[in-house]
């Protein structure tokens, strides 16, 4: 679990790292702790998974991935873990989750995010998934995103 | 969309993870890219200002801090779309929000500091919009690796 200093560190960095030559020193000064402590705490948060990674988040439209399709699938509950591992292992799937159905309007329990330069490319990749699922797929859809309404990331 | 040069592209690919934790991390990354530190900092500033990068820093997993995440959706009448987008985006708990082409045409991620916060945020959105929120919490994560190479 995290303590108050970790929490202050998270609040100080959730908008991003300072763009100065010694960013961790700048954060340390703001928090009134030693730079080494900032770095040690970040290492620990990274090791424990509280920080998934430190890096840049590109706007995928701006870097050429203009089609983003949330592919959704209705697969048998008893087979979904094996299917999720198989589909999540495909190189073009960036996220893969099991989520609850909302019957009757939403029969899908497996979500796999697929990116491409065009909708055709995303559809072709969805066909690869459909091919792997075969008869285990009972219903499917692709929800293309047409606009980013907000992308600020986490705020505590 | 802004033009990216070869260094921008390499920089974006290089910086999608593994940013060093050391006294002068930008100098270290600049060395890997064969540019100087000041050039790297100027490029990062520009790419963020141009929204080619939406953020740069640690990516936190709120569940590992005792919080919760969920994916939720609304079926928003077209005539009210902008108004509802503003109402939903006004909540700080809304981390991302995308328009998608489906009867459920607004999909957003809620991130809250406590598991109970999810229900509270959903109730607030329902009160503000008069619409029913469909909640799709993840039951299992099979894969997450949001790293896309620059293609432009």
């Amino acid at each position: 679990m995290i303590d108050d200093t970790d929490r202050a560190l998270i609040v100080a960095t959730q908008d991003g790292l300072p763009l100065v030559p010694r960013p961790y020193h700048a954060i340390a000064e703001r928090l009134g702790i030693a730079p080494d402590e900032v770095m040690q705490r970040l290492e620990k948060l990274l090791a424990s998974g509280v920080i998934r990674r430190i890096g840049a988040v590109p706007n995928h439209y701006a870097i050429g991935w203009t089609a983003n399709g949330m592919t959704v699938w209705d697969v048998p509950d008893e087979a979904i873990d094996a299917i999720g591992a198989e589909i999540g292992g495909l190189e073009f799937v960036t996220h893969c989750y099991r989520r609850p159905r909302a019957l009757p309007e939403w029969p899908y329990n497996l979500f796999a995010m697929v990116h491409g330069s065009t909708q055709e490319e995303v559809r072709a990749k969805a066909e690869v998934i459909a091919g792997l699922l075969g008869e285990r797929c009972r219903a499917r859809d692709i929800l293309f995103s047409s606009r980013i309404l907000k992308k600020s990331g986490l705020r505590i | 969309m802004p033009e990216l040069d070869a260094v921008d592209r390499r920089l974006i690919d290089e910086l999608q993870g593994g940013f060093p934790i050391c006294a002068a991390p930008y100098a270290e990354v600049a060395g890997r890219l064969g540019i100087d530190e000041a050039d790297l900092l100027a490029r990062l500033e520009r790419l963020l200002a141009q929204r080619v990068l939406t953020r740069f820093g640690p990516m936190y997993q709120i569940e590992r801090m005792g919080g919760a995440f969920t994916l939720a959706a609304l079926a928003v009448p077209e005539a009210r779309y902008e108004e509802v987008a503003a109402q939903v985006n006004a909540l700080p708990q809304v981390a991302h929000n995308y328009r998608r082409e489906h009867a459920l045409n607004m999909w957003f991620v809620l991130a809250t500091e406590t598991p109970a916060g999810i229900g509270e945020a959903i109730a607030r959105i329902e009160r503000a919009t008069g619409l029913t929120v469909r909640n799709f919490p993840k039951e299992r994560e099979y894969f997450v690796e949001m790293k896309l190479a620059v293609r432009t």
Side-chain angles (χ1 to χ4, degrees):
Chain A
M1 270 298 118
I2 60 169
D3 64 18
D4 287 347
T5 307
D6 288 331
R7 194 174 189 289
L9 184 57
I10 293 165
V11 170
T13 55
Q14 62 187 356
D15 284 324
L17 283 182
L19 297 176
V20 296
R22 290 151 82 88
Y24 304 118
H25 287 62
I27 295 163
E29 197 171 324
R30 221 188 304 165
L31 298 183
I33 59 176
D36 279 348
E37 187 178 352
V38 167
M39 291 188 259
Q40 282 159 12
R41 283 180 181 268
L42 287 172
E43 294 278 12
K44 218 174 112 199
L45 293 170
L46 200 53
S48 66
V50 170
I51 296 176
R52 197 188 271 281
R53 62 190 167 94
I54 303 178
V57 183
N59 170 344
H60 31 255
Y61 292 88
I63 60 168
W65 297 85
T66 38
N68 130 24
M70 186 170 78
T71 72
V72 292
W73 310 85
D74 174 16
V75 300
D77 288 334
E78 58 278 11
I80 192 168
D81 286 344
I83 291 172
E86 185 181 350
I87 303 308
L90 295 171
E91 52 87 21
F92 55 81
V93 171
T94 59
H95 303 70
C96 186
Y97 296 109
R98 174 182 185 166
R99 299 184 185 280
R101 299 181 180 88
L103 297 170
E105 57 172 341
W106 190 264
Y108 313 109
N109 55 346
L110 185 72
F111 289 55
M113 197 63 75
V114 175
H115 294 261
S117 297
T118 62
Q119 293 200 353
E120 289 62 46
E121 182 185 345
V122 172
R123 285 200 183 90
K125 288 171 171 172
E127 284 313 312
V128 173
I129 297 176
L132 287 170
L133 294 180
E135 286 179 2
R136 297 177 297 175
C137 168
R138 299 180 293 210
R140 55 185 279 199
D141 202 349
I142 306 180
L143 281 69
F144 284 102
S145 83
S146 47
R147 231 174 106 195
I148 300 178
L149 303 168
K150 185 176 186 183
K151 194 175 180 186
S152 57
L154 165 68
R155 290 293 178 279
I156 65 169
Chain B
M1 278 298 165
E3 283 289 307
L4 303 177
D5 68 18
V7 177
D8 290 338
R9 284 186 218 118
R10 280 198 296 129
L11 180 162
I12 295 167
D13 288 343
E14 174 77 28
L15 280 183
Q16 288 194 42
F19 187 70
I21 299 177
C22 62
Y26 295 108
E28 187 181 318
V29 172
R32 267 187 248 158
L33 292 167
I35 60 177
D36 65 35
E37 182 186 49
D39 187 15
L40 174 63
L41 287 166
R43 283 173 186 272
L44 273 173
E45 219 159 272
R46 172 173 51 79
L47 293 169
L48 285 161
Q50 291 173 332
R51 308 287 296 156
V52 171
L53 299 178
T54 59
R55 62 185 303 277
F56 175 72
M59 252 61 77
Y60 289 103
Q61 299 204 78
I62 205 162
E63 293 136 306
R64 300 288 175 89
M65 308 179 233
F69 258 123
T70 198
L71 176 70
L74 285 170
V76 182
E78 222 35 71
R80 290 184 55 207
Y81 203 88
E82 297 304 318
E83 172 203 339
V84 171
Q87 288 166 331
V88 170
N89 290 351
L91 271 75
Q93 297 94 327
V94 175
H96 314 141
N97 188 4
Y98 285 84
R99 179 182 174 112
R100 294 191 180 277
E101 301 309 315
H102 186 268
L104 292 171
N105 55 4
M106 188 178 288
W107 289 78
F108 47 93
V109 170
L110 294 171
T112 62
E113 278 195 71
T114 62
I118 296 289
E120 291 159 16
I122 287 175
R124 274 186 56 193
I125 291 170
E126 291 189 330
R127 274 199 307 276
T129 63
L131 302 170
T132 302
V133 173
R134 304 282 193 280
N135 185 18
F136 298 101
K138 82 172 172 204
E139 294 174 331
R140 191 149 301 180
E141 177 178 302
Y142 299 112
F143 187 75
V144 178
E145 184 74 75
M146 190 61 218
K147 287 184 192 168
L148 295 174
V150 179
R151 270 198 165 181
T152 48

